[in-house]
Amino acid sequence: MNDGDGRKMSKGCQPLSSVEEGSNGDNIGGEVPLKKGPWTSTEDAILVEYVQKHGEGNWNAIQKSTGLARCGKSCRLRWANHLKPDLKKGAFSPEEERKIIEFHAKFGNKWARMAAELPGRTDNEIKNYWNTRIKRMQRAGLPVYPANICRQVLNDSQESPNAGSVMSGASQNSDLSQIDSYTVPDVQFKNLKLTQYGPTIFNIPESTHSMFEQSAGSFQNYNMMFPMKPRKRPLETDIIGNSLVGSISTTVPEFNPYVDYSSEKITDSPKLSFPCDPNLNSNGPFHVYLPGSYAGLNDNTSSVPISGVKKLELPSFQFSETQRVGWDTPGSHLPSLESVDTLIQSPPADQTQSYLVSSDSDGLLESVVYGSKTKRGANNNFLQQTADNCMPRSSTVNPCDTGWAEQSPSADQTQSYPVSPDTDGLLESIVYGSKTKRGWDEQGDLSSPGASVLTVHTPISMGSVDEPQSVEATQDQDVKHETVFQDPTYYSRKKECVNQIGLKKPDAALFDSGWRGNPDADNKSDQSNPKDDLGAVFPFDFHGYP
DNA sequence: AATTCCCACAACCGCGTCCCC
DNA sequence: TGGGGACGCGGTTGTGGGAAT
């Protein structure tokens, strides 16, 4: 570390007026710059001694009274994360891991809250664990939330007075007063069958539902997956994933919602399956955007399909008419940022339709969005959204057909899922403005540049696996188009990405490392690389791209 | 053996909130 | 009531070390 020469003045921390941190030779103008970087044992000792003597708090006084060249903030962090006597060290126990997953499902990224529930553990520790886990699961193409957790959270939610927001940590955490004008009306999930879907990491905004309806059969074929970049060195998980390819491509793996995956390492989860893509023959494009990632600021993005290996289960969504209306109208509530987190573009009913991203995207919006996202921090309440995603809205089609329907204890449930309130209307304003500017109000014009802008904003549009949409049904979508595609937000300029993901033969594309050349996949897309597009929405480090 | 890559984690940073004056 | 400091929170970055090449 930069112990010593690498020291810098900590931003946000006032320099010491006088300190005896002799080892620091950066003393400028008589002021000792506050040290940054790893703490030394000496510093630790000083801090511990001070706290033992004076107790916690008044952190800024430490540097004054002890001469410790650390700002109060740094002292507090060091104490809280490492020096506190009651801290638990070492790896998380399986039980702790299970709790973390559960808490994340409930609270979202409320690390401090989670830490409060886990004695001896710090928020930073939990956060790091979670982020690492996310990456790992992503890489393996595994669902972040085990089905049992989803189910549990769902049950908890149902039991609570405010039930309705299932697995929406943000919603549950948020004070109701925070619900602003952007709050999306509750979404009604009919025939909720959470467990049948098992875990999913995607947050699918309700607005997506209507898309499914309209795209009817098209979305039956989507595979949610994590884009995966080939690792230079294969991991066990990769191996597993690859090993699944065959079966996934040809059969519908069975997902056991009752298996507790909470603490499993990827390497020991060979039984995991991907309860998705009930219709492997479907040809509907499908896009999934995960929250918080860097945006593809340039539209030089390619249409290269994600060379992912795994598929994620896709919940179906349904909107009530009123909800649809809400989304359609310009003044309607835009999706919350949380909903923005996950973006999935659903292809129109006409699967031959191209989803190429308009080439005219200037990247500005993406930049803005990205900035906003970054700044705000991706409040990727995966689970919240995941849970929503997990909830099929329709059960007309026997889920069993999908191969993972049997276990759906709550098939008859009808629930309302309030969209998490948006805490920042700026992005919506920008997006909306952009859309307006671009004139995307030309409903149904999926190729409209403006529409594409909303990708970032758009709730995931996914095919409902259990949607009663027969192929025939998919052809009758006029009405649905009005309700759904009217809202430009459903389409992103990253259409190409969609295109790429929306493979006629998802499986093949997914697992075909050479799917760049997949004729089906790039039927109408350019050769751009979806990496940027995906990266723009995925909060994770996408190690999935070549 | 050197290099590269990746993971895990510690620490930093910016921002929001609380509290006191 | 508002200004400012203290503190907390969540996201991001940087670093060390191990594994793979």
Side-chain angles (χ1 to χ4, degrees):
Chain A
M1 293 284 244
N2 59 346
D3 190 6
D5 57 351
R7 293 173 191 171
K8 303 173 185 176
M9 177 70 81
S10 298
K11 291 181 182 178
C13 296
Q14 297 300 315
L16 299 173
S17 56
S18 64
V19 179
E20 68 254 345
E21 182 73 5
S23 62
N24 188 339
D26 294 332
N27 193 333
I28 299 173
E31 289 187 341
V32 176
L34 297 180
K35 187 179 167 186
K36 290 173 65 176
W39 280 65
T40 64
S41 55
T42 303
E43 290 174 319
D44 283 346
I46 294 172
L47 179 57
V48 169
E49 182 182 355
Y50 178 88
V51 174
Q52 288 176 344
K53 197 177 294 182
H54 302 91
E56 297 182 36
N58 203 10
W59 301 107
N60 285 330
I62 296 176
Q63 59 177 273
K64 296 174 184 174
S65 61
T66 68
L68 187 60
R70 296 280 185 172
C71 69
K73 229 173 167 179
S74 185
C75 291
R76 183 184 61 81
L77 216 57
R78 181 66 182 175
W79 173 260
N81 290 337
H82 301 281
L83 304 178
K84 220 173 176 179
D86 57 350
L87 288 181
K88 235 186 243 180
K89 296 293 183 182
F92 286 100
S93 68
E95 173 64 12
E96 286 174 320
E97 291 178 342
R98 189 193 64 77
K99 285 182 176 179
I100 290 171
I101 296 169
E102 179 185 335
F103 292 151
H104 193 273
K106 290 179 179 178
F107 311 143
N109 292 358
K110 301 298 180 183
W111 315 118
R113 183 168 179 179
M114 291 185 216
E117 305 281 346
L118 293 171
R121 299 297 185 180
T122 68
D123 54 352
N124 205 39
E125 202 173 6
I126 295 170
K127 179 173 57 183
N128 286 333
Y129 165 78
W130 181 260
N131 290 336
T132 298
R133 181 178 181 276
I134 285 287
K135 281 184 182 179
R136 196 188 304 143
M137 300 300 277
Q138 167 206 342
R139 191 178 307 118
L142 300 177
V144 172
Y145 298 102
N148 59 327
I149 295 295
C150 292
R151 191 170 49 251
Q152 178 176 345
V153 174
L154 172 62
N155 291 336
D156 291 347
S157 175
Q158 290 175 335
E159 293 172 358
S160 69
N162 292 328
S165 160
V166 174
M167 295 166 91
S168 59
S171 298
Q172 296 189 356
N173 288 335
S174 303
D175 184 289
L176 290 177
S177 63
Q178 293 178 5
I179 299 174
D180 58 19
S181 61
Y182 291 98
T183 299
V184 176
D186 291 358
V187 177
Q188 197 169 50
F189 296 72
K190 296 178 180 179
N191 301 313
L192 175 66
K193 297 173 197 150
L194 175 59
T195 56
Q196 85 181 48
Y197 289 87
T200 173
I201 66 162
F202 295 102
N203 166 11
I204 302 174
E206 293 72 2
S207 60
T208 316
H209 304 177
S210 52
M211 291 187 73
F212 292 164
E213 290 181 353
Q214 23 177 301
S215 50
S218 66
F219 65 75
Q220 298 179 10
N221 322 310
Y222 305 116
N223 291 320
M224 289 184 76
M225 61 189 172
F226 288 107
M228 298 186 63
K229 168 177 75 181
R231 295 170 60 95
K232 303 206 170 157
R233 287 188 291 274
L235 296 179
E236 302 123 309
T237 55
D238 293 335
I239 296 170
I240 293 170
N242 292 332
S243 68
L244 291 172
V245 170
S247 63
I248 292 174
S249 302
T250 58
T251 65
V252 178
E254 175 183 348
F255 179 85
N256 184 351
Y258 298 103
V259 172
D260 181 0
Y261 303 109
S262 61
S263 62
E264 68 192 351
K265 301 303 179 191
I266 298 173
T267 56
D268 58 8
S269 54
K271 57 184 173 294
L272 282 180
S273 60
F274 303 88
C276 52
D277 191 32
N279 181 354
L280 295 175
N281 295 325
S282 65
N283 52 4
F286 179 67
H287 298 242
V288 176
Y289 290 85
L290 287 185
S293 51
Y294 48 88
L297 301 180
N298 300 320
D299 269 315
N300 56 349
T301 58
S302 66
S303 298
V304 178
I306 297 170
S307 58
V309 175
K310 318 314 189 288
K311 300 184 288 185
L312 298 178
E313 55 277 28
L314 299 180
S316 63
F317 299 91
Q318 262 183 353
F319 274 128
S320 64
E321 285 303 317
T322 56
Q323 289 163 345
R324 290 174 189 153
V325 171
W327 284 100
D328 293 340
T329 59
S332 66
H333 300 308
L334 290 170
S336 66
L337 268 194
E338 280 73 14
S339 67
V340 173
D341 287 349
T342 307
L343 299 171
I344 297 176
Q345 294 186 344
S346 169
D350 179 359
Q351 315 217 339
T352 61
Q353 181 166 351
S354 172
Y355 282 85
L356 296 177
V357 173
S358 71
S359 58
D360 70 346
S361 70
D362 50 22
L364 174 60
L365 180 60
E366 287 85 345
S367 299
V368 173
V369 170
Y370 173 61
S372 172
K373 196 69 180 161
T374 301
K375 186 173 183 179
R376 293 163 49 88
N379 185 10
N380 46 336
N381 223 328
F382 278 145
L383 205 25
Q384 159 191 353
Q385 300 164 1
T386 297
D388 289 346
N389 297 346
C390 287
M391 321 284 180
R393 271 72 169 177
S394 165
S395 61
T396 305
V397 171
N398 185 348
C400 292
D401 295 340
T402 67
W404 28 284
E406 275 105 315
Q407 319 119 345
S408 79
S410 56
D412 294 330
Q413 297 175 14
T414 295
Q415 293 195 346
S416 202
Y417 294 93
V419 172
S420 63
D422 179 42
T423 57
D424 181 354
L426 176 59
L427 178 60
E428 286 79 354
S429 300
I430 294 170
V431 171
Y432 177 69
S434 174
K435 289 188 291 185
T436 303
K437 179 181 175 183
R438 292 166 179 266
W440 45 256
D441 43 16
E442 300 162 21
Q443 306 169 0
D445 182 3
L446 299 179
S447 62
S448 166
S452 64
V453 171
L454 267 296
T455 299
V456 178
H457 210 5
T458 303
I460 295 173
S461 154
M462 301 166 64
S464 168
V465 242
D466 58 349
E467 196 76 20
Q469 300 143 332
S470 61
V471 175
E472 295 77 9
T474 64
Q475 298 172 353
D476 180 18
Q477 301 176 7
D478 292 342
V479 175
K480 290 175 179 179
H481 272 288
E482 285 190 356
T483 58
V484 176
F485 289 98
Q486 219 172 37
D487 186 346
T489 64
Y490 289 120
Y491 306 101
S492 112
R493 66 178 60 183
K494 307 297 185 183
K495 292 174 184 175
E496 49 209 322
C497 178
V498 174
N499 225 6
Q500 289 143 9
I501 299 176
L503 303 171
K504 300 264 182 179
K505 301 185 184 298
D507 293 304
L510 289 174
F511 302 109
D512 180 359
S513 60
W515 73 328
R516 288 172 183 268
N518 184 335
D520 287 315
D522 65 0
N523 50 345
K524 291 186 180 179
S525 65
D526 56 18
Q527 298 301 314
S528 62
N529 189 327
K531 177 179 181 178
D532 292 342
D533 293 316
L534 291 171
V537 271
F538 280 83
F540 330 108
D541 171 14
F542 262 100
H543 299 286
Y545 297 90

